[in-house]
């Protein structure tokens, strides 16, 4: 099906919007009236520009408050409509969106509304234009698609049909199965938006919190399947209003939008893509730093041993249990402070995973490599973190570990770490929804429920994604601190089966983040512990949480550059991330950093 997006979805001038939309690969656009009015280009010039870019102008919108008005007000609406029809003919677009009336003057009279819409359609037909009538969720008298269709059906004019908008329909809890009652040829246009489920005024919800498909909680796949079954064969168009997209880079937003629409078509069964190849584990995490000493001291304290050196690059391999950390000192990879730059994802089929990524607008990154280096497919997440599709220890696929020569460094004493539990990535505020969609659609991970964690400077919004058996977990969040670097809260959570032994070892080296006594006083009030258990936690800086499935004990290291470690012990199927104590960690880190922008 053809793809479209409303110009209101992206930032910039109308010309910038059209350029961004065309580069992202859309077939066409809805021209939002305010974008036209603010443009210095004539309608003819806009039409020519769209044609040059390969874009069709599918829709002009919105026309408001037309039907069900007193005679004098309706006459004014018709004069306004005729002017818009002339503009549309100059633009070369043949469909106009008419929203259900919200005016206090509107009458609750379906027969009058039908008569007015028929008269409007008769005028539109003279200009070669069709009228797509849409029920706004907050319409004064018409606020469901079923009601809008009854009026259109009563008006009975070939130039009059309905526009089905997923937000207006799903926000009111209406069932898309009812589309079957509408002939496909009478569905003139389809608009799509997702949204998080929120208990708030529906108009404010619509204006500020719509998002692209896959970034919210609506069942848009069912919506699209119902539209297709009705016989509709027109464009699927995105119409999203929120405060983030209006401020974000138009090019990134358009690519994110196209990715969401492609993934939605796949989910609805109307488009085939290379199959999603969910990762099966974390092969490695990569730290970049020009000063290796602080990182080396931390890794040795954690029990890691330096086991390999890259054959052609200044990269060292550190291992413990199933956990691997790469330390990269290549100057071209970033600044001097240690930060988390890349994650290696174990993949059953790295090549197929890369094809999937490319089909969703995430092309494989070019990388400098020696002729003998193993070729690793790599894509960039929205925050710039590089994701490698890897195969470790496979006989049938190139093994990235073959790029490392063994080193003779003396190993550390046997450490407490068994593997990587999860990776936590803090996102730029305007890329959080984009990141969620990326990991869901491109990487093939499943989202968990969202959370809000108190932070010294606001609420930290967060959501985790994981594969089916939770061997890959990535926790995404937004740092609310003003001017914060999104890398400031990135950390690596390492698994252990001996949290007390790990805390003693790392605490003796002076690397455990201290925890206030008040936290443990509260724990005593909320939980029942065995003899001496809470005293041990207090002494060692261990935090505690539990759910209906099990317990979670964890502690944090001090921060090195822009990264820190968390040591965790999950017992009996605990599924969370210690959210109940996250605010203690955040507050302590902010206090120790002495800066609002670091955590």
């Amino acid at each position: 099906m053809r793809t479209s997006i409303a110009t209101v979805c992206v930032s910039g001038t109308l010309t910038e919007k059209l350029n961004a939309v065309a580069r992202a690969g859309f077939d066409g656009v809805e021209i939002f009236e305010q974008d036209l009015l603010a443009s210095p280009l004539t309608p003819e010039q806009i039409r020519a520009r769209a044609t040059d870019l390969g874009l069709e102008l599918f829709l002009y919108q919105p026309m408001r408050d037309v039907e069900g008005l007193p005679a004098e007000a309706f006459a004014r609406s018709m004069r306004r409509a005729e002017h818009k029809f002339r503009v549309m003919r100059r633009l070369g677009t043949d469909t106009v969106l008419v929203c259900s009336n919200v005016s206090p003057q509107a009458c609750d009279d379906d027969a009058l509304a039908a008569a007015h819409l028929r008269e409007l359609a008769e005028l539109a037909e003279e200009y070669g234009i069709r009228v797509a009538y849409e029920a706004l969720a907050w319409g004064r008298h018409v606020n469901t698609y079923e009601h809008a269709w009854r009026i259109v059906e009563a008006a009975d004019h070939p130039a009059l049909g309905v526009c089905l908008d997923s937000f207006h329909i799903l926000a009111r809890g209406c069932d898309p199965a009812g589309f079957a009652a509408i002939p496909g040829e009478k569905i003139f246009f389809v608009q799509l938006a997702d949204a998080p489920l929120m208990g708030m005024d529906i108009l404010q919800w619509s204006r500020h919190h719509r998002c692209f498909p896959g970034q919210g909680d609506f069942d848009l796949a069912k919506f699209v399947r119902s539209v297709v079954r009705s016989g509709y064969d027109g464009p699927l168009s995105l119409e999203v209003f929120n405060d983030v997209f209006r401020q974000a880079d138009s090019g990134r937003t358009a690519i994110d939008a196209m990715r969401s629409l492609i993934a939605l078509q796949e989910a609805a069964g109307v488009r085939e893509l290379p199959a999603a190849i969910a990762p099966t584990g974390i092969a490695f995490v990569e730290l970049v730093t020009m000063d290796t000493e602080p990182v080396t001291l931390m890794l040795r304290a954690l029990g890691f041993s330096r086991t390999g050196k890259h054959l052609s690059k200044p990269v060292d391999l550190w291992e413990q249990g199933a956990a691997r950390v790469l330390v990269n000192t290549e100057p071209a990879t970033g600044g001097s402070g240690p930060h988390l730059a890349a994650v290696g994802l174990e993949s059953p089929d790295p090549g197929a995973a890369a094809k999937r990524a490319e089909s969703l607008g995430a092309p494989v990154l070019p990388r400098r490599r020696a002729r003998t280096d193993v070729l690793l497919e790599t894509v960039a997440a929205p925050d710039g973190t590089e994701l490698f599709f890897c195969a470790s220890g496979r006989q049938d696929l190139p093994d990235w570990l073959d790029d490392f020569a063994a080193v003779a460094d003396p190993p550390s004493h046997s450490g407490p770490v068994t593997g990587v539990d999860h990776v936590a990535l803090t996102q730029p505020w305007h890329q959080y929804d984009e990141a969620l969609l990326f990991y869901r659609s491109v990487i093939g991970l499943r989202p968990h429920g969202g959370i809000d964690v108190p932070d010294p400077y606001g609420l930290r919004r967060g959501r985790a994604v994981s594969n089916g058996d939770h061997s890959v977990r990535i926790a995404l969040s937004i740092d609310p601190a003003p001017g914060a670097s999104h890398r400031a809260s990135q950390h690596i959570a390492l698994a252990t089966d001996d949290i007390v032994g790990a805390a003693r070892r790392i605490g003796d080296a002076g690397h455990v983040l201290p925890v206030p006594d008040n936290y443990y006083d509260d724990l005593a009030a909320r939980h029942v512990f065995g003899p001496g258990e809470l005293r041990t936690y207090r002494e060692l800086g261990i935090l505690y949480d539990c759910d209906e499935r099990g317990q979670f004990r964890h502690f944090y290291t001090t921060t090195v550059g822009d990264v820190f470690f968390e040591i965790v012990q999950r017992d009996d199927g605990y599924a969370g991330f210690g959210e109940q104590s996250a605010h203690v960690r955040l507050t302590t880190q902010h206090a120790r950093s002495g800066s609002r922008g670091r955590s």
Side-chain angles (χ1 to χ4, degrees):
M1 301 182 77
R2 290 171 294 169
T3 56
S4 172
I5 185 172
T7 56
V8 73
C9 295
V10 294
S11 64
T13 65
L14 181 55
T15 299
E16 290 169 337
K17 292 169 186 261
L18 294 176
N19 289 341
V21 167
R23 285 196 300 270
F26 282 91
D27 297 313
V29 297
E30 305 173 33
I31 295 290
F32 195 65
E33 185 173 65
Q34 291 181 348
D35 287 322
L36 172 71
L37 300 181
S39 175
L41 302 180
T42 66
E44 291 82 4
Q45 290 172 323
I46 294 170
R47 178 179 184 174
R49 180 60 179 161
T51 299
D52 289 344
L53 292 169
L55 294 173
E56 187 172 347
L57 304 183
F58 288 124
L59 183 82
Y60 184 77
Q61 65 122 328
M63 189 178 295
R64 303 183 186 277
D65 300 337
V66 174
E67 82 287 6
L69 293 172
E72 184 177 343
F74 178 65
R76 288 197 298 270
S77 292
M78 290 296 286
R79 287 195 296 271
R80 175 166 51 92
E82 185 162 19
H83 172 75
K84 300 303 180 187
F85 295 158
R86 294 192 188 102
V87 171
M88 289 176 61
R89 192 152 65 179
R90 295 169 63 194
L91 274 172
T93 185
D94 65 357
T95 305
V96 64
L97 176 70
V98 174
C99 303
S100 62
N101 209 317
V102 299
S103 169
Q105 291 184 289
C107 305
D108 187 7
D109 184 338
D110 284 6
L112 180 62
H116 283 172
L117 288 176
R118 180 178 179 85
E119 189 173 339
L120 179 68
E122 288 173 347
L123 178 63
E125 190 175 41
E126 295 177 14
Y127 288 87
I129 289 169
R130 306 184 309 165
V131 175
Y133 183 53
E134 172 187 74
L136 294 177
W138 54 89
R140 185 168 180 82
H141 302 298
V142 178
N143 50 40
T144 68
Y145 79 88
E146 297 97 335
H147 195 174
W149 166 238
R150 289 198 300 272
I151 292 173
V152 167
E153 189 175 29
D156 190 24
H157 193 281
L160 178 65
V162 293
C163 172
L164 300 178
D165 182 302
S166 66
F167 180 85
H168 295 301
I169 292 168
L170 300 179
R172 295 192 66 88
C174 298
D175 189 352
F179 298 167
I182 308 174
E185 67 272 12
K186 295 301 285 184
I187 301 175
F188 282 4
F189 208 71
V190 170
Q191 294 177 318
L192 300 168
D194 208 338
L197 297 180
M198 307 178 76
M200 65 183 303
D201 174 76
I202 197 166
L203 177 58
Q204 295 305 310
W205 186 18
S206 171
R207 293 284 170 82
H208 300 283
H209 298 284
R210 294 198 209 187
C211 52
F212 292 134
Q215 297 174 343
D217 299 311
F218 288 163
D219 188 351
L220 292 183
K222 177 182 178 181
F223 183 95
V224 171
R225 284 193 296 269
S226 298
V227 164
V228 172
R229 279 197 294 266
S230 75
Y232 175 77
D233 62 357
L236 295 177
S237 189
L238 299 172
E239 188 199 37
V240 169
F241 301 88
N242 71 47
D243 301 330
V244 173
F245 294 165
R246 290 168 177 160
Q247 301 177 58
D249 176 76
S250 59
R252 289 189 67 118
T253 301
I255 291 171
D256 188 32
M258 176 55 82
R259 178 178 297 143
S260 76
L261 195 50
I262 293 172
L264 174 59
Q265 290 178 84
E266 179 192 35
V270 299
R271 183 168 185 162
E272 290 189 5
L273 297 178
I277 307 293
T280 56
I282 294 179
F284 64 82
V285 289
E286 181 177 348
L287 302 179
V288 170
T289 181
M290 294 299 293
D291 181 6
T292 61
E293 184 177 0
V295 174
T296 298
L297 290 173
M298 178 67 77
L299 290 174
R300 290 202 181 281
L302 290 168
F304 281 82
S305 298
R306 179 173 173 265
T307 60
K309 184 173 183 58
H310 199 280
L311 295 172
S312 65
K313 297 176 183 176
V315 180
D316 289 335
L317 170 63
W318 293 74
E319 293 185 90
Q320 182 180 180
R324 302 185 188 95
V325 178
L326 303 185
V327 179
N328 188 337
T329 58
E330 197 165 22
T333 54
S336 60
H339 63 271
L340 178 58
V343 178
L345 298 173
E346 295 283 3
S347 175
D349 189 339
K355 289 180 181 177
R356 167 78 177 185
E358 290 184 305
S359 73
L360 286 160
V364 171
L365 296 174
R367 289 187 62 81
R368 183 183 64 80
R369 55 184 290 269
R371 182 178 57 84
T372 56
D373 288 353
V374 171
L375 176 62
L376 291 179
E377 309 284 14
T378 313
V379 298
D383 68 350
T385 301
E386 294 185 354
L387 302 175
F388 291 78
F389 300 124
C390 301
S392 304
R394 296 269 296 272
Q395 298 298 317
D396 57 331
L397 292 171
D399 189 340
W400 66 277
L401 288 167
D402 290 342
D403 282 343
F404 289 84
V407 298
D409 284 12
S412 302
H413 296 296
S414 178
V417 171
T418 58
V420 176
D421 183 86
H422 67 272
V423 176
L425 303 174
T426 306
Q427 305 299 301
W429 68 273
H430 57 289
Q431 291 171 12
Y432 174 80
D433 288 330
E434 180 185 356
L436 180 63
L437 174 64
F438 174 88
Y439 284 103
R440 187 177 189 172
S441 62
V442 175
I443 306 302
L445 301 178
R446 304 173 183 176
H448 297 248
I451 60 166
D452 290 322
V453 175
D455 180 278
Y457 304 107
L459 280 177
R460 182 182 291 263
R461 182 181 171 199
R463 195 167 186 180
V465 292
S466 71
N467 63 355
D469 65 2
H470 302 286
S471 58
V472 176
R473 298 183 180 95
I474 298 176
L476 306 172
S477 65
I478 304 175
D479 193 337
S485 164
H486 72 274
R487 295 193 181 278
S489 292
Q490 295 189 345
H491 74 268
I492 303 159
L494 302 170
T496 185
D497 53 16
D498 180 11
I499 192 71
V500 172
R504 290 195 190 282
R505 174 192 176 116
I506 299 165
D508 288 345
H511 293 300
V512 172
L513 186 75
V515 178
D517 280 344
N518 292 334
Y519 169 78
Y520 296 102
D521 292 340
D522 181 65
L523 273 188
R526 292 190 293 115
H527 302 284
V528 177
F529 296 100
E533 184 179 0
L534 184 59
R535 182 172 63 252
T536 299
Y537 295 164
R538 188 192 300 263
E539 172 193 346
L540 299 176
I542 296 172
L543 300 109
Y544 178 86
D545 191 24
C546 64
D547 61 17
E548 65 279 4
R549 284 166 288 192
Q551 301 180 86
F552 187 72
R553 290 167 289 176
H554 60 130
F555 66 89
Y556 299 96
T557 71
T558 52
T559 300
V560 178
D562 287 334
V563 71
F564 60 95
F565 293 87
E566 178 184 9
I567 313 300
V568 312
Q569 181 172 341
R570 294 178 183 271
D571 294 332
D572 305 320
Y574 175 92
F577 295 85
E579 298 90 342
Q580 294 298 319
S581 53
H583 66 287
V584 175
R585 185 263 297 177
L586 290 164
T587 302
T588 303
Q589 286 178 324
H590 277 293
R592 288 173 64 86
S593 70
S595 168
R596 290 166 64 94
R598 295 174 60 88
S599 57

